Amino acid sequence: MTQTATMRARELPQTDPATARANLTAEFVALIDLVDGLAPDDWTRPTECTGWTVRHMVAHIAGSAECAVRKSTLLRVYASAGWNSRKAPDTFIDHMCAAQIAARADMTDREVAADLKRWARDAPARLAAAPGFIRRLRVPAASGAPKGATLSWFLDVINTRDVWMHRVDLARALGVARETTVAEPEAVRQVIRDLDTDWSGPPLALTLTGVGGGTWRIGAGDPVAHVTEDAVAFLRLLSGRSDECPLATDGDPSAADSLRAARVLF
């Protein structure tokens, strides 16, 4: 097995508010450019998120941006999702997304596009401006967040990650090339950081190729394998969307098996 000197992924710093604001702004600009180019028939195209069309996905992102700007909307969506600290994270998130989509059910497609622009304009700045005492609050374990995560993780990491991954979804649904932004390398790093934070599999070296790629150590101890994969394909695997990854492995094959079974919250 080829040995590669790397840093532990969990040692990467969490995205800071200023970087998060710039990255989310860039992601929204790219998303809006894509949405502005949608033809009428494009809105009903199915995506790889079960049961969601392109319209559902855009409506969800618009709703998420509104939640970032309007606290009253955030509280209403939380209430409609039936939040409690014991509810499974996927169930809660599904209910939140459903509420965001339902709130736009009576809008035309172009009104949904305009709604996205309305909230995306201010969302990055509002999230970055969240006060320190809010940022330091611990996230409930039932949320699916990595160990030790605070609300700063939701504010500075998850929001950009969500828009970025949904742009991947939309590009695949539409059969178009995806625009890359300055946010992509940081989005990749933060996913790998979260993976290593909760990792319980064998230690390994992970090399991701493409935009945002790099090499990191996952797990404590000397790597038993070196696994190589395309960055976007690997993040789609971790999100549970698809398993299209060969996970080329030099060394113990159990390392690839553990990666294939791993999940990170998106």
Side-chain angles (χ1 to χ4, degrees):
M1 183 188 70
T2 302
Q3 294 292 332
T4 305
T6 60
M7 70 178 295
R8 278 290 300 271
R10 66 188 299 176
E11 295 170 359
L12 290 163
Q14 182 178 290
T15 310
D16 64 87
T19 300
R21 177 177 178 176
N23 285 347
L24 184 55
T25 298
E27 282 296 309
F28 274 135
V29 168
L31 174 64
I32 289 168
D33 184 61
L34 178 63
V35 171
D36 280 346
L38 292 177
D41 290 346
D42 288 336
W43 289 88
T44 57
R45 290 181 183 270
T47 72
E48 291 170 319
C49 290
T50 304
W52 278 17
T53 63
V54 167
R55 177 191 166 96
H56 291 139
M57 193 164 284
V58 176
H60 153 61
I61 302 171
S64 180
E66 182 185 0
C67 287
V69 175
R70 298 179 69 180
K71 298 300 183 291
S72 59
T73 300
L74 177 63
L75 293 174
R76 184 172 68 252
V77 169
Y78 264 52
S80 68
W83 168 256
N84 66 67
S85 61
R86 296 177 299 280
K87 179 167 285 189
D90 54 347
T91 303
F92 174 62
I93 292 170
D94 287 346
H95 282 298
M96 281 195 67
C97 293
Q100 292 161 348
I101 292 168
R104 289 154 179 81
D106 294 332
M107 294 183 182
T108 67
D109 295 338
R110 298 323 306 175
E111 286 172 339
V112 172
D115 194 56
L116 170 66
K117 290 181 181 180
R118 175 187 180 187
W119 303 115
R121 181 181 61 245
D122 296 328
R126 291 293 184 91
L127 292 166
F133 77 92
I134 293 292
R135 292 178 161 277
R136 291 189 293 271
L137 293 174
R138 284 298 180 96
V139 176
S143 68
K147 288 181 293 189
T150 64
L151 282 180
S152 65
W153 177 79
F154 272 108
L155 297 169
D156 301 332
V157 175
I158 283 295
N159 283 281
T160 301
R161 181 183 297 176
D162 185 59
V163 179
W164 176 81
M165 181 55 82
H166 284 322
R167 284 204 309 110
V168 174
D169 295 329
L170 289 169
R172 291 173 65 92
L174 296 165
V176 299
R178 176 179 52 83
E179 178 185 347
T180 58
T181 74
V182 296
E184 190 153 334
E186 182 67 5
V188 172
R189 285 192 291 266
Q190 291 303 308
V191 171
I192 303 308
R193 179 181 187 264
D194 288 354
L195 172 68
D196 190 29
T197 297
D198 287 339
W199 184 252
S200 59
L204 59 98
L206 174 66
T207 293
L208 298 182
T209 60
V211 178
T215 302
W216 302 272
R217 280 190 301 115
I218 307 295
D222 293 332
V224 300
H226 187 170
V227 181
T228 303
E229 186 53 77
D230 172 75
V232 175
F234 185 62
L235 267 58
R236 281 171 45 75
L237 171 67
L238 292 179
S239 74
R241 279 165 167 76
S242 71
D243 185 355
E244 59 198 38
C245 296
L247 293 178
T249 305
D250 179 12
D252 188 342
S254 70
D257 293 338
S258 293
L259 285 174
R260 202 176 297 282
R263 292 295 178 266
V264 172
L265 188 65
F266 277 75

